[in-house]
C-alpha cells in the first residue's frame, strides 16, 4: 500500500521524532503497516511485528493512540473499508479481528 511513498513516510516519522523527541516504536521487526481509512489526512498508521504488538500511531506526532497485544508475531494487517475493524494475520496462521476505537 505504501510502495512508492516509503521515503516520504520515513521522512515524516523522522520529523515527528525531531519535534517530540520520541515515536511510539516496536521492540522488534515491523512486518506490516496499514493506513487507517477513516483518517482522510493519512496521519494514522497501524503497524505490527515480531514484538507481538499492534500500534495505531499518529505519524505526525509520533504518539500511539491505540494498541493491542497479539498472541504471536504479526505478519499482516488490514482494515475493513470504513476503518472500524482491523484484522491481523499472525505467524501461527491465526487471523484475529478487533474493533478499532481510539482510546479503547
Amino acid at each position: 500500500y505504501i510502495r512508492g511513498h516509503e521515503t516520504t513516510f520515513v521522512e515524516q516519522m523522522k520529523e515527528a521524532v525531531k519535534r517530540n523527541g520520541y515515536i511510539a516504536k516496536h521492540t522488534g521487526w515491523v512486518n506490516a503497516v496499514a493506513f487507517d481509512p477513516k483518517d482522510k489526512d493519512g496521519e494514522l498508521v497501524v503497524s505490527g511485528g515480531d514484538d507481538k504488538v499492534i500500534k495505531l500511531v499518529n505519524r505526525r506526532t509520533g504518539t500511539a493512540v491505540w494498541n493491542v497485544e497479539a498472541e504471536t508475531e504479526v505478519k499482516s494487517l488490514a482494515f475493513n473499508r470504513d476503518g472500524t475493524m482491523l484484522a491481523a494475520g499472525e505467524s501461527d496462521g491465526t487471523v484475529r479481528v478487533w474493533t478499532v476505537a481510539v482510546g479503547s
Side-chain angles (χ1 to χ4, degrees), residues 39-80:
D39 174 31
K40 301 304 178 202
D41 296 325
E43 293 184 1
L44 298 176
V45 62
V46 68
S47 58
D50 289 350
D51 62 358
K52 305 177 189 174
V53 176
I54 299 168
K55 296 176 184 255
L56 180 65
V57 175
N58 182 311
R59 65 187 181 134
R60 302 241 188 257
T61 66
T63 56
V65 295
W66 182 86
N67 65 64
V68 65
E69 289 193 28
E71 297 291 322
T72 62
E73 294 86 2
V74 178
K75 298 298 183 182
S76 61
L77 294 165
F79 282 100
N80 68 334

